[in-house]
Amino acid sequence: QIAGIEVAVSGLVPMGFYSGLGQVSGFTVHAYGATWEKLEEISQSFARRLERYPRVAEVDLNAGGHRQPPAREVIRFHWGADAVARTGITPRGLADALRPQLWRETPDFYADIQGNPRLPVRVVTEGSESLDLNTLLQRPLTAGPGGPVRLMDHAELSIKKDPPVIERFNQQYRRTLRVYYKGPFRMGKKMLDRELASLSLPPGYRLERPRYEFFDKDVRRQFLWLVLGTVGLVFLVISAVLESWRLAAVVMLSVPVSWIGIALGFLWTGQNFAEGAFLGIVLTIGISVNDAILLVDRYRRLQLSRPTSPTATLALLALRQRLRPMWTTTLTSIAGMLPLLILPDAGNFWVGLAVTVIGGLLASTLLAPAAILALLSWGSAGGLRREEPAEVAIESLA
């Protein structure tokens, strides 16, 4: 009533649609078996089971596998002996007559024209780029001695889908199916998993929905080295700024504390720990230490100006003086990430990044100061006992 309505249509209608309220979810199913023919029979039976659901738009039995071209729909003309006898046109002659009618980019032959050897020549009929099947069937073709003929009068037409490349996987045939589900992804996933679990298949055959795991062995190794390198570099920078290895180690305590907030953030939101979360962890290593740097640096300056004051008192005073800048830095960073959580079109990558950064910053700001104060105050009682005689001596001298 205020801004109107916007509807965007994509995909092959009615198989696919998207209007902001619903979309077609495509699920991949891999079928494994010992023989290709039996595998095709099992796949067709599984497709008939799924087509009972009103929300299943289509089950593609010839979907291409990983890095394989999908199956193509091919128009087949059966030009038998009866058609040859009636028209006097051989199958090769029919193919030669059809070739100029169909739009393509490959040359028909090569010729020497105006001194250019092997110049590619392509013969096409006007309007062939927009030719439809009905027009092609009714268009007269001059290809034989009996005069023009029409395909619809003599040819048997069929449209078939060529299967993709036959794929072998672990000494078995693998066939890739694609299930198009009109509705929410989670609802389609539950339906498909329920049907797969209820199948009764012959020994040696199985149907399963592949689980694509981004965090595989190679990625885990690379990610571990990336995290270790980032932590080491940040530690060296903080040590140079604070001029203390001990204080730098205290600051780095905020990094594992932030990971607690990241875990709680994903448990609370229910989001997938996808690629954006890995980038967010690397960013959090550098961002979560900012508040700890403010706190520890202020503590170091107070310690230099008040060498006789108790350690616990200096730590609490530093927290009191730096609490507002710490929360200001955290809240501004969170505000920059909130649009990624609010926008409805934000993908899993950006949502995972936002959940990681927001959860890590909140945990490091809430929990890290308490842990830092405990570490800075550790051993302060012994320090007070060592400082008391000096203070008493100064007071008595005065």
Side-chain angles (χ1 to χ4, degrees):
Q1 295 178 357
I2 299 176
I5 183 172
E6 177 183 353
V7 178
V9 179
S10 63
L12 299 178
V13 179
M15 187 183 72
F17 72 94
Y18 177 79
S19 63
L21 300 178
Q23 61 183 352
V24 169
S25 301
F27 299 95
T28 301
V29 176
H30 285 161
Y32 300 89
T35 62
W36 183 262
E37 292 76 12
K38 185 64 175 179
L39 206 58
E40 183 175 4
E41 179 184 343
I42 293 175
S43 301
Q44 292 176 354
S45 176
F46 180 66
R48 288 192 296 268
R49 292 187 54 168
L50 294 182
E51 288 171 354
R52 298 177 304 170
Y53 293 90
R55 287 183 176 270
V56 175
E58 182 184 352
V59 180
D60 186 2
L61 301 179
N62 297 303
H66 182 59
R67 296 182 179 179
Q68 289 184 355
R72 300 179 301 169
E73 288 187 347
V74 179
I75 302 174
R76 298 183 181 273
F77 296 107
H78 179 68
W79 197 258
D82 294 341
V84 175
R86 289 194 302 266
T87 63
I89 303 175
T90 63
R92 181 178 293 276
L94 178 64
D96 293 337
L98 281 174
R99 188 176 291 111
Q101 308 291 331
L102 305 176
W103 178 261
R104 69 206 180 284
E105 297 183 356
T106 57
D108 293 307
F109 58 90
Y110 296 88
D112 298 335
I113 301 177
Q114 296 182 355
N116 295 323
R118 291 189 57 79
L119 187 69
V121 178
R122 181 166 52 92
V123 180
V124 297
T125 303
E126 183 179 0
S128 59
E129 67 276 5
S130 59
L131 180 67
D132 57 22
L133 181 59
N134 291 330
T135 304
L136 178 63
L137 293 175
Q138 298 176 9
R139 175 175 291 181
L141 300 176
T142 304
V149 297
R150 295 188 306 175
L151 287 175
M152 62 181 301
D153 298 332
H154 305 282
E156 296 179 8
L157 172 66
S158 63
I159 301 178
K160 294 186 177 180
K161 205 165 190 180
D162 278 354
V165 179
I166 296 178
E167 186 180 4
R168 298 278 292 181
F169 184 81
N170 288 342
Q171 305 301 319
Q172 283 186 316
Y173 289 103
R174 181 168 72 177
R175 192 184 187 105
T176 303
L177 287 66
R178 189 73 173 171
V179 181
Y180 294 96
Y181 184 83
K182 294 187 294 185
F185 177 84
R186 291 186 178 180
M187 185 183 297
K189 176 178 172 294
K190 290 182 179 179
M191 180 275 300
L192 188 58
D193 291 341
R194 184 173 60 252
E195 287 295 327
L196 290 173
S198 62
L199 286 178
S200 179
L201 301 177
Y205 293 85
R206 73 182 192 277
L207 270 69
E208 62 183 23
R209 190 170 58 86
R211 267 66 172 177
Y212 298 104
E213 183 181 1
F214 169 76
F215 205 46
D216 55 14
K217 183 177 180 181
D218 294 335
V219 175
R220 283 198 299 268
R221 183 172 59 252
Q222 296 174 4
F223 180 70
L224 178 60
W225 284 111
L226 179 61
V227 170
L228 292 178
T230 305
V231 171
L233 184 60
V234 171
F235 178 74
L236 291 177
V237 172
I238 297 175
S239 301
V241 173
L242 299 180
E243 300 177 352
S244 172
W245 296 104
R246 176 179 173 271
L247 294 180
V250 172
V251 170
M252 294 302 296
L253 180 65
S254 58
V255 174
V257 170
S258 67
W259 292 345
I260 299 176
I262 294 174
L264 294 177
F266 278 97
L267 290 176
W268 180 62
T269 59
Q271 294 293 326
N272 294 326
F273 198 81
E275 293 90 334
F278 300 108
L279 178 60
I281 287 180
V282 178
L283 293 176
T284 306
I285 294 175
I287 300 176
S288 61
V289 298
N290 291 338
D291 294 339
I293 292 175
L294 290 175
L295 176 60
V296 174
D297 181 69
R298 185 55 183 168
Y299 164 79
R300 183 178 66 91
R301 295 180 181 275
L302 290 174
Q303 193 178 40
L304 293 176
S305 60
R306 305 178 183 182
T308 60
S309 298
T311 304
T313 302
L314 296 179
L316 291 174
L317 184 59
L319 178 62
R320 177 182 177 184
Q321 295 179 358
R322 286 293 178 263
L323 188 60
R324 179 175 293 181
M326 289 165 55
W327 273 105
T328 302
T329 304
T330 299
L331 293 178
T332 53
S333 301
I334 292 176
M337 288 291 172
L338 278 180
L340 299 180
L341 295 177
I342 299 174
L343 292 178
D345 295 334
N348 292 331
F349 179 90
W350 301 110
V351 174
L353 175 63
V355 172
T356 304
V357 174
I358 292 176
L361 287 179
L362 285 177
S364 62
T365 306
L366 289 172
L367 303 178
I372 291 174
L373 289 179
L375 286 178
L376 293 178
S377 303
W378 183 48
S380 61
L384 286 174
R385 284 192 297 268
R386 289 190 298 268
E387 292 171 357
E388 282 177 358
E391 293 178 359
V392 173
I394 293 175
E395 291 176 357
S396 61
L397 186 61

